[in-house]
Amino acid sequence: MENGFVDCHCHMSAREFEEDLEDVIKRAREAGIKTLVAVTEEVGEFARVLQLQDSYPDLVVPCFGIHPLQASGGPEQRSVKPQDLDAALPQFYDHRERLVAIGEIGLDFTPWCAPTQQDRDDQMNVFIKQLNIAKELDLPVNVHSRSAAKVTIETMRQQGISRALLHNFAGKPSVALEGVKAGYLFSFPPAVCSSQQRNKLIKQIPLEHICLETDSPALGPEKHMRNEPSNITLPCRYIADVKGLSPQTVQLVTAQNAYRLFPKANRGTQ
């Protein structure tokens, strides 16, 4: 298992993959991916993620989570409400044996996404409830934080969360190091390759706290073009360059980190 990539955060249930999923999966395998950690944003995706695991049991592992923003990035996108979680609650428990993490959950305080204090309060309510589910089910969390890095990490620490992945993290290095102290991991997608500001961040986070992700179909190497898991090699090479390491070392250590964080995702142990 050590000789492959783990995509720690991707949206394989996204509509963008409906037309050519078989080809996308084939390219992922050819790129050397051994595990796709498939997150959800809304309750409507839960069944689809389980179907994907049924179709590709050696590759896809499911997470359930309610994202801080609803309507999947469309024009109707809005901040999450507590009732968005209600329909999901029984499913976390019904499928607990199959889940490798709770995610994608978190906070998004971007002003146009959460313009009011009520929006931010609702997001916090939904986030904390899902952190509690993760603790109850003894699962790690797969976390989104945008314009809310410090409060996200502080909230997880206050709630006693010890196992977390902060995906596509773009907070300050000093905030990231607070997460490192708490034992959290950080993952970076292909889009990071064109972001100079992440160099400093990646330099300061120890490799033992870094994972790879694609966030497919978003955050690819080119804006406005569909991303897919086979692009996992791009952040691997980028992190290797920034840290002065070989891509093989980054691939190996990030995969080990991923399986340490998501032990149920390691098919080699089952």
Side-chain angles (χ1 to χ4, degrees):
M1 288 300 292
E2 280 82 18
N3 297 321
F5 290 99
V6 181
D7 186 343
C8 275
H9 186 106
C10 56
H11 298 265
M12 298 315 295
S13 52
R15 285 188 293 273
E16 287 88 338
F17 293 126
E18 282 174 2
E19 298 294 315
D20 63 342
L21 181 66
E22 281 291 333
D23 292 334
V24 170
I25 293 290
K26 183 168 179 278
R27 287 190 289 271
R29 292 190 196 278
E30 286 168 354
I33 292 176
K34 295 289 186 261
T35 304
L36 293 172
V37 180
V39 297
T40 65
E41 296 185 350
E42 301 174 3
V43 68
E45 293 179 87
F46 288 9
R48 173 69 175 145
V49 164
L50 295 180
Q51 283 170 0
L52 288 168
Q53 187 190 31
D54 290 338
S55 300
Y56 308 101
D58 62 326
L59 185 67
V60 176
V61 294
C63 306
F64 283 1
I66 301 297
H67 191 280
L69 303 179
Q70 295 291 285
S72 302
E76 303 302 310
Q77 191 175 62
R78 60 171 173 80
S79 197
V80 72
K81 303 282 179 211
Q83 53 266 35
D84 294 317
L85 182 58
D86 292 344
L89 284 174
Q91 297 203 46
F92 288 105
Y93 297 96
D94 290 348
H95 300 289
R96 62 194 295 169
E97 297 306 321
R98 294 179 66 172
L99 301 179
V100 301
I102 302 300
E104 176 175 3
I105 66 174
L107 300 171
D108 194 317
F109 290 172
T110 314
W112 55 90
C113 295
T116 69
Q117 186 60 46
Q118 185 63 54
D119 289 330
R120 294 188 284 277
D121 290 347
D122 286 344
Q123 284 191 23
M124 184 64 82
N125 176 330
V126 171
F127 184 39
I128 289 175
K129 279 184 177 169
Q130 291 183 100
L131 293 178
N132 286 327
I133 291 167
K135 284 190 294 187
E136 197 179 332
L137 300 182
D138 191 26
L139 290 171
V141 287
N142 206 323
V143 178
H144 171 104
S145 66
R146 193 167 62 154
S147 303
K150 197 170 196 296
V151 68
T152 302
I153 288 173
E154 279 176 1
T155 301
M156 290 196 296
R157 292 182 73 168
Q158 286 164 2
Q159 297 297 318
I161 296 296
S162 59
R163 294 182 296 150
L165 179 76
L166 287 133
H167 105 94
N168 186 36
F169 190 79
K172 293 175 181 170
S174 59
V175 175
L177 291 176
E178 286 300 308
V180 167
K181 260 193 261 180
Y184 304 154
L185 278 72
F186 298 80
S187 59
F188 299 97
V192 79
C193 302
S194 56
S195 169
Q196 288 302 309
Q197 69 172 54
R198 305 285 183 100
N199 283 17
K200 195 174 167 191
L201 183 63
I202 290 167
K203 270 181 187 154
Q204 291 201 35
I205 298 174
L207 185 60
E208 289 68 32
H209 287 263
I210 291 178
C211 290
L212 301 177
E213 64 158 296
T214 61
D215 201 27
S216 305
L219 299 185
E222 294 179 48
K223 271 188 177 179
H224 313 303
M225 284 187 69
R226 184 186 75 171
N227 187 21
E228 61 178 71
S230 59
N231 287 324
I232 196 87
T233 55
L234 301 175
C236 179
R237 286 202 299 267
Y238 182 77
I239 290 164
D241 287 346
V242 169
K243 287 194 166 291
L245 299 167
S246 72
Q248 290 81 6
T249 297
V250 172
Q251 177 269 311
L252 179 68
V253 176
T254 55
Q256 289 170 340
N257 296 343
Y259 291 132
R260 190 174 74 246
L261 179 64
F262 305 119
K264 287 172 72 178
N266 191 348
R267 294 306 183 196
T269 64
Q270 294 186 6

